[in-house]
Amino acid sequence: MATKHKKITGKAFVLGKNIDTDQIIPAEHLVYSLDDPEERKFYGRYALSGVPDAESGLPEGNIPLVEEDEFESDFNIIIGGPNFGCGSSREHAPASLDIAGVDAIIAPTFARIFYRNSVDGGFVVPYESLENLSKEIHTGDEIEINPEERVVKNITQDKTYEIRPLGSVADIVNAGGIFEFARKEGMISCQ
Amino acid sequence: MGMTLTEKILAKNSGSSSVEPGESVWVDVDVLMTHDVCGPPSIGIFKNEFGEDARVWDKEKLVIIPDHYIFTEDKYANRNVDILRGFAADQDLPYFYDVGSDDYKGVCHIALPEEGFTRPGEVLFGTDSHTCTAGAFGQFATGIGNTDAAFIMGTGQLWVKVPETMRFEFEGTSMPPYIMAKDLILQIIGDIGVDGATYRTMEFGGTGISAMTMEDRMTLTNMVIEAGGKNGVVEPDAKTEAYVRERTDKEFDLVYSDPDAKYHSKYHYNLEDMVPMVAKPHSPDNKATAIELEGTDLDRAYIGSCTGGKLSDFEAAAEIIDGHDLKLDTYIVPATTEIAKGLETRTLNGKPLIQIFRDAGCNIGQASCAACLGGPSDTFGRLNNQEVCISTTNRNYPGRMGSKESQVYLASPYTVAASAVTGKITDPRVFIQQTVI
Ligand code: SF4
């Protein structure tokens, strides 16, 4: 929970463009409680289960983010195409990726509600890349995100790409979400 | 420098004399809406963060409308409505539209205007992406997640980045008889793409928009999210005022864009030039004209949702369906209980609309979101296999209406009804011209 704005390393999971919230977590699974620790796990199991098989885990495809009967993934960095997270406002989408063990998403552009939910809920860090890295990086590549230097390194392929600074949301990301941020700023009293 | 309508509302609610695009501001919230999918987790976060016994900031400003998973045996879905029920009782909420009660409404984005919550000049947030629908009334309205909703429940405030505004002008005095607002918005989304308005406001204006009914305007603002828009907005006029005053005693401000407001970009369309449009699977910007797709085989027609389940949508469909046998399995789902009543009372050719649909063999569902978003497997109208469906809804990403093997074409109620009659994608002009001449 609450991955901070700091160096992240891990394995890439690559997706195409316009990955919408129904593909991230299909609507039929939204009935599980996010507050109940047992039910909550199902969001991890079904994260990205709505992505058509051929487009899941590019360039090869047919790779699920989470193996059947598992609740967490070995992949912790998602590389997406443009307009990542379009569709509904369901916060279950970034939450399900977080529950599946994803720390960060790199995409050239994000849909705004998904971006906001990722940040305000402290689920995953959304980094905007200058290029569409879903055409460059392969599922399984070892990746390092270095926000200070504003770069992503593909260790497997020995290549480096630029990412944009987080700007005004960096404070919320660093605080771990909007509530932690508001407490730090004295907007709401401690609970 | 002048401001757009959206900038003015955000300035007013953040206590500033002016705001600029790109600036982040904290705004006071006039209405927060939530439903059965996002309400329970929002309530969970609210209790975790503010305490089990915390009270919401203003119970007059919180509206809870269960609508998504209503008529299902799914035990988790029913449990979620129970959570809303418990919270509404604990907090003594005046605006909870409970399932199974006389207050039950159906789809939140249509229920909000019906109940007088879409007031010009105000700020409305909702835990649903189509909250942007309310912009048809000159309100700033946008979708948020559960954490943000919980934050508002406790504080009455939320941060917003002021969006740049794109202006879409429609010229003309009336819509051609075969065109609906759905065709216009599908055209725009096809032109600018599913991320063409990301982070921005889509403002609609021009003589063509003034000529439109409130329901038509709602169809436009409803789908701005399908172009990535933060909010959609139509400047209020006499029609807006009449609609809203009929439904609320609350005072509101009519806010307009300044003539020298700065826009990100401007687009011009002429109503006369518009043609029936379809979005092909699997993206709302995958545009084609109905004519280009004529003859495409279909299995099912679906008329419903916050986009295409309003009374005027059913009137349009009935105009074409009346007197025909249908070649497709056709599903009719009124968005709200008020619209369901309208199907009984509104007549065409001397018959109630509902009778026209029954006589044609349509399956008629109860007011709710139903298969618009798939839902539990027993949901009315859900695409459980490889069906090819033509629908008046708003999204056709893989699996949106159920199975990811299915395919969805989005179109206007005219085009969906014409296709239901022939069994294949059909330009509605074939039927409309017959009735007009
Ligand atoms: S009708 Fe469809 S788009 Fe509208 S609120 Fe319900 S699920 Fe969402």
Side-chain angles (χ1 to χ4, degrees):
Chain A
M1 197 57 193
T3 309
K4 302 283 166 62
H5 183 39
K6 58 176 194 214
K7 219 181 239 187
I8 300 170
T9 50
K11 266 164 84 176
F13 188 82
V14 183
L15 295 164
K17 65 177 181 178
N18 298 332
I19 296 296
D20 82 306
T21 51
D22 279 286
Q23 294 179 68
I24 299 173
I25 183 76
E28 63 197 293
H29 304 307
L30 301 180
V31 293
Y32 300 117
S33 167
L34 279 162
D35 297 322
D36 180 302
E38 279 309 304
E39 281 183 43
R40 182 181 165 81
K41 293 199 301 200
F42 286 96
Y43 285 102
R45 170 179 294 184
Y46 295 117
L48 293 183
S49 64
V51 177
D53 296 345
E55 281 143 56
S56 182
L58 297 174
E60 273 150 56
N62 294 307
I63 306 171
L65 176 74
V66 181
E67 292 293 335
E68 210 161 312
D69 297 330
E70 298 279 326
F71 295 91
E72 277 199 45
S73 178
D74 293 340
F75 303 100
N76 64 327
I77 297 173
I78 289 186
I79 312 290
N83 203 25
F84 194 93
C86 59
S88 88
S89 65
R90 69 187 67 147
E91 191 164 303
H92 311 71
S96 71
L97 295 174
D98 180 24
I99 295 166
V102 173
D103 297 314
I105 304 170
I106 306 171
T109 54
F110 288 88
R112 64 159 280 279
I113 307 180
F114 180 88
Y115 184 91
R116 213 190 145 94
N117 288 343
S118 300
V119 168
D120 281 4
F123 297 115
V124 288
V125 190
Y127 286 110
E128 289 175 337
S129 52
L130 270 60
E131 296 163 71
N132 182 0
L133 302 184
S134 66
K135 307 250 188 235
E136 304 279 327
I137 296 174
H138 295 178
T139 297
D141 284 357
E142 281 296 321
I143 300 291
E144 180 189 281
I145 304 173
N146 187 333
E148 243 165 59
E149 292 177 16
R150 295 185 192 166
V151 291
V152 181
K153 284 190 194 137
N154 185 337
I155 297 165
T156 309
Q157 296 188 27
D158 194 20
K159 285 187 186 158
T160 301
Y161 309 95
E162 260 184 88
I163 50 173
R164 292 183 203 281
L166 283 179
S168 60
V169 301
D171 291 341
I172 301 177
V173 170
N174 282 329
I178 190 176
F179 281 101
E180 290 74 7
F181 172 77
R183 286 203 178 91
K184 258 170 99 178
E185 297 288 305
M187 287 183 62
I188 51 178
S189 54
C190 290
Q191 161 71 32
Chain B
M1 178 52 83
M3 285 191 284
T4 66
L5 189 170
T6 298
E7 289 156 11
K8 280 189 184 170
I9 296 175
L10 295 178
K12 177 168 68 85
N13 277 41
S14 62
S16 334
S17 54
S18 72
V19 295
E20 277 186 37
E23 192 182 332
S24 287
V25 294
W26 287 89
V27 293
D28 291 331
V29 178
D30 295 302
V31 183
L32 171 66
M33 185 283 298
T34 189
H35 53 47
D36 56 301
V37 173
C38 296
S42 303
I43 291 166
I45 299 169
F46 169 72
K47 289 187 174 173
N48 274 341
E49 298 288 345
F50 294 99
E52 268 305 310
D53 302 322
R55 309 299 293 174
V56 299
W57 97 105
D58 187 340
K59 63 183 186 169
E60 293 288 324
K61 294 183 176 172
L62 178 58
V63 183
I64 302 187
I65 308 178
D67 57 355
H68 277 60
Y69 302 157
I70 304 304
F71 305 107
T72 170
E73 296 292 319
D74 187 288
K75 67 174 197 274
Y76 293 113
N78 290 322
R79 181 266 323 267
N80 285 348
V81 178
D82 285 337
I83 294 175
L84 298 181
R85 217 168 260 148
F87 188 68
D90 285 351
Q91 300 273 339
D92 191 21
L93 299 179
Y95 305 118
F96 171 52
Y97 298 90
D98 199 2
V99 180
S101 77
D102 289 346
D103 294 332
Y104 175 69
K105 295 289 303 178
V107 180
C108 55
H109 310 300
I110 309 302
L112 283 170
E114 284 177 357
E115 297 294 300
F117 294 107
T118 54
R119 296 177 290 257
E122 290 193 352
V123 170
L124 166 89
F125 287 104
T127 59
D128 191 285
S129 62
H130 291 98
T131 303
C132 51
T133 312
F137 299 87
Q139 190 175 36
F140 174 82
T142 190
I144 52 168
N146 311 331
T147 299
D148 285 347
F151 192 89
I152 296 173
M153 280 182 195
T155 65
Q157 291 195 319
L158 192 62
W159 70 273
V160 192
K161 198 165 174 181
V162 179
E164 291 181 291
T165 298
M166 299 167 85
R167 171 101 178 166
F168 296 84
E169 291 264 349
F170 281 89
E171 298 312 327
T173 47
S174 66
M175 211 104 85
Y178 44 85
I179 290 295
M180 300 188 71
K182 181 69 171 286
D183 297 305
L184 311 191
I185 193 68
L186 287 176
Q187 177 76 51
I188 292 176
I189 297 165
D191 289 348
I192 67 173
V194 283
D195 54 358
T198 298
Y199 301 127
R200 303 195 197 105
T201 300
M202 292 171 75
E203 181 180 292
F204 301 93
T207 51
I209 301 293
S210 312
M212 284 183 187
T213 64
M214 292 314 297
E215 289 196 4
D216 290 337
R217 296 177 194 182
M218 285 163 73
T219 307
L220 293 181
T221 51
N222 174 273
M223 283 191 75
V224 303
I225 183 66
E226 268 63 67
K230 179 174 214 149
N231 66 316
V233 82
V234 178
E235 287 177 281
D237 60 10
K239 281 183 203 169
T240 320
E241 227 187 318
Y243 184 105
V244 180
R245 289 223 188 280
E246 211 175 289
R247 291 163 174 84
T248 180
D249 297 330
K250 279 231 164 74
E251 279 312 307
F252 50 84
D253 290 331
L254 300 170
V255 179
Y256 304 92
S257 291
D258 291 325
D260 60 344
K262 197 163 156 247
Y263 289 95
H264 167 273
S265 48
K266 286 188 181 172
Y267 293 78
H268 292 272
Y269 293 89
N270 199 322
L271 289 181
E272 292 296 310
D273 301 336
M274 306 308 291
V275 295
M277 295 297 294
V278 176
K280 296 177 282 181
H282 293 283
S283 181
D285 65 354
N286 198 6
K287 75 169 171 191
T289 61
I291 287 190
E292 282 169 342
L293 299 178
E294 275 212 326
T296 307
D297 283 325
L298 299 164
D299 303 307
R300 180 175 298 189
Y302 186 95
I303 307 176
S305 85
C306 52
T307 315
K310 303 182 291 303
L311 195 55
S312 53
D313 296 313
F314 293 112
E315 276 184 300
E319 259 178 60
I320 290 183
I321 287 176
D322 188 23
H324 289 283
D325 285 334
L326 302 184
K327 293 240 169 57
L328 297 181
D329 261 351
T330 300
Y331 290 78
I332 300 283
V333 187
T336 62
T337 49
E338 191 172 315
I339 296 167
K341 280 188 206 120
L343 293 182
E344 312 265 351
T345 53
R346 189 68 62 89
T347 58
L348 183 76
N349 304 332
K351 286 170 282 187
L353 300 181
I354 192 96
Q355 191 190 330
I356 292 173
F357 294 131
R358 280 203 189 112
D359 290 351
C362 300
N363 305 292
I364 298 164
Q366 291 170 279
S368 67
C369 295
C372 171
L373 86 163
S377 56
D378 61 350
T379 301
F380 181 78
R382 187 180 192 274
L383 306 180
N384 287 326
N385 298 299
Q386 297 177 348
E387 297 92 345
V388 182
C389 178
I390 187 158
S391 173
T392 66
T393 54
N394 45 46
R395 286 195 183 127
N396 59 348
Y397 293 112
R400 168 65 178 183
M401 292 184 72
S403 162
K404 61 182 175 183
E405 307 297 318
S406 64
Q407 296 182 47
V408 178
Y409 289 85
L410 304 174
S412 79
Y414 276 150
T415 304
V416 172
S419 306
V421 173
T422 64
K424 297 176 190 298
I425 294 182
T426 301
D427 187 305
R429 278 174 281 192
V430 178
F431 294 95
I432 310 274
Q433 268 145 21
Q434 277 176 2
T435 39
V436 167
I437 293 164

